[in-house]
């Protein structure tokens, strides 16, 4: 089968590799229908993030169709499903706590399309077929009427944005939300859209990129330039703050913007060896601060339900839809969300 393989920055190739096979009765083989480019994928492909040496299978955000399933897989051929990007068994003590990003059955940080994170290649979403172990736990049915292209990023980036506002708004209905956009560009936009969909009292999206501000407005958020270079100070305190900018200055601004006893989630990967954090201010405010990789599998079904009921519109973040055949050439295309549709799905 064909597999898109990352070789080095700005060089991806289609390789012919052996097709996956069922290895257990809980396994499934899935044919990708739509694959979204993760924000991290863009930075790996351009070389901005240099800690991912090739070669390895590429792509990890996907909606697909089951083509083969074991007797205990919980799915059947023809089922359309969302495939989590992180591998997890759903059975170990860690998974039962909802910490599927560190499943005990796999090397730490095991994921599709990101072999260097765990030291083992599990295949990539930009392939003809994907092997899914523990499919009875991993795979989530795509509701009828939901376009695979709309839901393609659920595996990672949509879930990442959702976790910064969804659980918090469930505890604080009508709370105000600030989203600081930037490096994790689609994640920040998904957070803003999710906050609007979930009825936040006010949603303000700050970003120095005008195109992303327009997308935030399309989802119902207020949007303004971030303008930290001009020494911007918070306009008001916010109950919930989501930081997707990935800079030290933005993280400091996020803490200054957080209301007393507020919740701050940093979704961006801060790439510097050290990042200064104004902990004294955070301490006196009593801020709850979250950072770390998303727990994809427990989170994205909540976002999927919100898409299916028509309140959440992740398609407003997508700047381009192309075919699998274009993936090697377009992976460095700038923009917040690029989605590849399998030609055979048309």
């Amino acid at each position: 089968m064909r597999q898109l393989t990352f070789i080095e920055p700005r060089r991806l190739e289609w390789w012919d590799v052996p097709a996956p096979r069922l290895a257990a009765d809980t396994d499934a083989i899935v044919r990708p229908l739509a694959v979204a480019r993760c924000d991290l994928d863009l930075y790996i492909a351009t070389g901005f993030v240099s800690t991912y040496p090739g070669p390895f299978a590429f792509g990890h955000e996907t909606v697909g169709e089951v083509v083969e399933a074991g007797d205990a897989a919980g799915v059947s051929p023809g089922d359309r499903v969302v495939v989590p990007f992180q591998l997890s068994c759903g059975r170990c003590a860690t998974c039962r706590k909802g910490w599927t990003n560190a499943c005990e059955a796999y090397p730490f940080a095991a994921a599709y399309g990101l072999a260097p994170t765990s030291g083992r290649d599990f295949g990539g979403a930009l392939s003809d077929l994907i092997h899914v172990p523990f499919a009875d736990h991993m795979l989530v049915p795509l509701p009828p009427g939901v376009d695979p292209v709309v839901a393609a990023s659920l595996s990672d980036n949509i879930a990442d944005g959702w976790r910064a506002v969804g659980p918090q708004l469930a505890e604080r209905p009508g709370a105000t939300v600030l989203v600081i956009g930037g490096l994790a560009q689609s994640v920040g936009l998904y957070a803003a859209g999710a906050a609007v969909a979930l009825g936040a009292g006010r949603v303000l999206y700050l970003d120095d990129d005008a195109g992303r501000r327009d997308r935030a407005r399309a989802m119902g958020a207020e949007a303004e330039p971030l303008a930290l270079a001009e020494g911007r100070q918070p306009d008001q305190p916010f109950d919930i703050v989501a930081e997707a900018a990935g800079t030290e200055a933005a993280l400091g601004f996020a803490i200054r913007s957080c209301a007393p006893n507020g919740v701050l989630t940093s979704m961006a990967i801060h790439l510097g060896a050290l990042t200064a954090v104004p902990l004294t201010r955070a301490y006196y405010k009593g801020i709850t601060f979250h950072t770390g990789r998303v727990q994809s599998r427990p989170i994205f079904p909540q976002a999927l339900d919100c898409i299916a009921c028509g309140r959440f519109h992740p398609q407003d973040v997508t700047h381009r839809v192309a075919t699998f055949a274009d993936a090697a050439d377009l992976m460095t295309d700038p923009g917040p969300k690029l989605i590849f549709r399998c030609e055979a799905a048309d």
Side-chain angles (χ1 to χ4, degrees), residues 273-299:
L274 295 173
T275 298
V277 179
L279 286 179
T280 303
R281 185 183 293 261
Y283 172 86
Y284 280 108
K285 285 188 173 185
I287 290 172
T288 299
F289 177 43
H290 297 279
T291 186
R293 295 173 303 122
V294 64
Q295 310 283 354
S296 171
R297 176 58 183 83
I299 286 289

Side-chain angles (χ1 to χ4, degrees), residues 13-300:
E13 298 177 351
W14 288 102
W15 284 10
D16 186 24
V17 301
R21 297 181 179 181
L22 298 178
D25 61 0
T26 53
D27 288 1
I29 305 297
V30 174
R31 175 173 66 95
L33 300 175
V35 177
R37 183 189 66 188
C38 171
D39 294 345
L40 179 58
D41 288 341
L42 171 62
Y43 301 129
I44 295 172
T46 58
F48 180 75
V49 173
S50 59
T51 53
Y52 286 80
F56 59 89
F58 211 63
H60 62 270
E61 296 189 340
T62 188
V63 170
E65 181 180 8
V66 177
V67 297
E68 191 176 359
D71 293 339
V75 292
S76 302
D79 290 349
R80 289 190 166 190
V81 293
V82 183
V83 184
F85 84 102
Q86 298 158 330
L87 285 95
S88 59
C89 70
R91 293 152 170 81
C92 68
T94 302
C95 282
R96 289 198 302 271
K97 293 174 182 175
W99 301 337
T100 55
N101 70 9
C103 173
E104 297 168 25
Y106 292 97
F108 182 68
Y112 294 111
L114 294 166
T117 63
S118 68
R120 180 176 166 187
D121 201 325
F122 293 95
L126 284 161
S127 302
D128 289 332
L129 299 169
I130 305 172
H131 172 251
V132 182
F134 301 107
D136 56 329
H137 154 72
M138 286 268 288
L139 298 179
V140 175
L142 186 72
V146 175
D147 187 339
V149 168
V150 171
S153 196
L154 275 166
S155 305
D156 185 1
N157 286 171
I158 291 176
D160 208 356
W162 185 277
R163 58 95 177 226
V165 298
Q168 296 83 345
L169 284 166
E171 292 183 357
R172 306 178 185 210
T176 56
V177 175
L178 172 67
V179 179
I180 303 171
L183 184 69
Q185 51 183 336
S186 78
V187 176
L189 287 168
Y190 291 137
V196 171
L198 292 170
R202 181 193 183 195
V203 181
L204 175 62
Y205 177 84
L206 300 179
D207 195 324
D208 289 330
D209 184 275
R212 292 196 293 265
R213 293 199 302 271
D214 287 343
R215 294 183 183 279
R217 292 187 189 103
M219 291 188 289
E222 301 174 37
E224 300 174 4
L226 177 55
L228 289 182
E230 284 74 46
R232 177 177 185 146
Q233 295 300 313
D235 301 322
Q236 67 173 71
F238 286 81
D239 305 312
I240 298 166
V241 179
E243 184 268 316
T247 69
E248 186 175 293
L251 184 58
F253 180 80
I255 290 174
R256 294 196 301 274
S257 301
C258 204
N261 303 303
V263 182
L264 165 61
T265 302
S266 177
M267 305 166 292
I269 303 173
H270 284 257
L271 297 170
L274 295 173
T275 298
V277 179
L279 286 179
T280 303
R281 185 183 293 261
Y283 172 86
Y284 280 108
K285 285 188 173 185
I287 290 172
T288 299
F289 177 43
H290 297 279
T291 186
R293 295 173 303 122
V294 64
Q295 310 283 354
S296 171
R297 176 58 183 83
I299 286 289
F300 76 72

